[in-house]
């Protein structure tokens, strides 16, 4: 085993940890923003739980956040909530910060 091999494995392990943390932050963010949207749409607790799962699942449709933004914006608009793209993006950013804070507190 050489020093180079050790460094390579350390970098690979760090990359894997960073990717896992990013995935967890995104999933938590999606759940939090779904609860935010559900409150605006006045959903019941049961509907909120189902909606949160649907928003998390929507994130797997394509890379990036556009799929989640499209779902949130479409659902909020369909529910009669006056909201724009910028407000949804702001909520996503706010909830991402909260998700990271929650996960770091563990």
């Amino acid at each position: 085993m050489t020093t180079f091999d050790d460094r390579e494995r350390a970098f690979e392990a760090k990359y894997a940890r960073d990717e896992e943390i990013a995935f967890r932050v995104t999933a938590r963010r999606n759940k939090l923003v779904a609860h935010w949207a559900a409150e605006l749409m006045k959903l019941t607790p049961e509907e909120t739980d189902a909606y949160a799962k649907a928003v998390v699942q929507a994130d797997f449709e394509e890379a990036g956040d556009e799929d989640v933004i499209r779902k949130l914006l479409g659902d909020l608009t369909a529910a009669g909530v006056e909201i724009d793209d910028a407000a949804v993006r702001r909520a996503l950013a706010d909830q991402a910060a909260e998700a990271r804070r929650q996960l770091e507190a563990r």
Side-chain angles (χ1 to χ4, degrees):
M1 188 70 54
T2 66
T3 302
F4 181 75
D5 292 335
D6 291 342
R7 287 186 66 193
E8 183 178 19
R9 287 193 185 146
F11 282 123
E12 288 172 358
K14 182 181 181 328
Y15 178 79
R17 274 193 313 276
D18 290 348
E19 287 298 306
E20 181 181 347
I21 289 169
F23 176 80
R24 287 180 180 205
V25 167
T26 300
R28 176 69 58 98
R29 176 209 65 187
N30 290 344
K31 184 176 180 181
L32 291 171
V33 79
H35 281 265
W36 166 82
E39 186 177 322
L40 292 176
M41 293 185 287
K42 299 183 181 0
L43 299 181
T44 67
E46 295 80 21
E47 291 170 328
T48 298
D49 289 341
Y51 187 67
K53 290 176 186 170
V55 171
V56 169
Q57 187 64 35
D59 194 24
F60 296 116
E61 292 176 12
E62 63 186 53
D65 295 334
E66 295 307 311
D67 45 1
V68 174
I69 292 168
R70 232 183 351 265
K71 174 157 184 54
L72 291 167
L73 195 55
D75 293 345
L76 287 164
T77 302
V81 177
E82 291 285 326
I83 197 155
D84 62 357
D85 185 74
V88 171
R89 289 179 188 277
R90 235 182 349 268
L92 269 180
D94 292 346
Q95 297 306 330
E98 176 61 18
R100 184 168 300 284
R101 187 193 64 73
Q102 287 180 6
L103 289 171
E104 288 174 353
R106 286 184 169 186

